[in-house]
Amino acid sequence: HFVVNNLAMANIDAKVRELRDLVHAPYYPWFANYMVVKRAAQEPNFHAVYSALVDKWEDRSFRNNFISTTVHYCRVMLISKLLKSNSSERTLLKNLGAWLGKITLAKNRPVLQKDLDVKATIIKAYEEGKMLAVLSFIRQLLDPAIDSKVFRPPNPWVMAICALLAEIYNLENLKTGLKF
């Protein structure tokens, strides 16, 4: 906890070396869970630092643990009954979306449909009345793609999501807050 608390862009290389000595491969799932639940979901201002940590670790297994843990918690949050009524739940989901986008799309890595079907998630949210939370999540997920070489228009995956969002935008009786 002490090492992560003192993590900053200025000392990222030293802290990664220090963490590598403490966190070995068998503990990657635990560390990924800690970083996603206690840090990334609650501290969006530090996403760039945490993403740099994952990048500088230079271990595919380490990165995959972060991605799978993040996807797991996104899926848990998406089925939560509290999304409609609890703003802190929506904020956590939004932060997880931003984090997932930062460690996947911004790094030219896909969010696999088998892990998280974005279009199906939007449709399900429409049916369940969770559009406010899910659209915010999707926007945060796609936002880091602006820096991507792969996941920007005319990428078919991105364009399909945008087409669905445009279709929802043009629905009659859609609340103005959802359009924005």
Side-chain angles (χ1 to χ4, degrees), residues 33-146:
N33 190 68
Y34 166 72
M35 290 298 293
V36 170
V37 173
K38 299 289 186 187
R39 298 301 181 139
Q42 298 177 24
E43 301 172 345
N45 293 342
F46 291 99
H47 282 179
V49 175
Y50 301 149
S51 177
L53 168 77
V54 174
D55 291 342
K56 292 195 179 281
W57 201 283
E58 296 177 340
D59 184 327
R60 178 177 281 181
S61 173
F62 187 76
R63 174 181 300 285
N64 289 343
N65 272 287
F66 271 81
I67 293 170
S68 64
T69 301
T70 305
V71 167
H72 168 75
Y73 283 108
C74 287
R75 293 168 87 187
V76 167
M77 294 296 297
L78 286 165
I79 61 173
S80 171
K81 304 275 189 234
L82 298 174
L83 277 181
K84 291 181 188 179
S85 60
N86 191 327
S87 65
S88 63
E89 291 277 314
R90 290 190 297 268
T91 300
L92 286 174
L93 180 61
K94 180 178 76 169
N95 292 346
L96 285 172
W99 171 245
L100 183 59
K102 182 79 91 183
I103 62 173
T104 56
L105 303 180
K107 309 295 182 198
N108 298 315
R109 289 179 167 79
V111 176
L112 299 177
Q113 185 174 355
K114 69 178 183 162
D115 295 332
L116 183 67
D117 188 345
V118 176
K119 286 174 43 179
T121 300
I122 295 169
I123 293 167
K124 187 174 180 183
Y126 179 77
E127 293 168 352
E128 295 177 355
K130 296 180 181 178
M131 289 296 284
L132 182 62
V134 172
L135 288 180
S136 182
F137 165 74
I138 299 299
R139 190 195 81 69
Q140 291 293 332
L141 173 67
L142 292 176
D143 194 43
I146 199 165

Side-chain angles (χ1 to χ4, degrees), residues 119-179:
K119 286 174 43 179
T121 300
I122 295 169
I123 293 167
K124 187 174 180 183
Y126 179 77
E127 293 168 352
E128 295 177 355
K130 296 180 181 178
M131 289 296 284
L132 182 62
V134 172
L135 288 180
S136 182
F137 165 74
I138 299 299
R139 190 195 81 69
Q140 291 293 332
L141 173 67
L142 292 176
D143 194 43
I146 199 165
D147 298 325
S148 173
K149 293 177 184 174
V150 176
F151 296 102
R152 57 175 17 165
N155 177 285
W157 181 76
V158 173
M159 295 309 294
I161 295 169
C162 289
L164 177 59
L165 293 173
E167 189 177 326
I168 291 169
Y169 180 87
N170 291 321
L171 287 175
E172 294 178 24
N173 303 329
L174 187 68
K175 293 179 183 178
T176 307
L178 291 175
K179 288 189 176 197

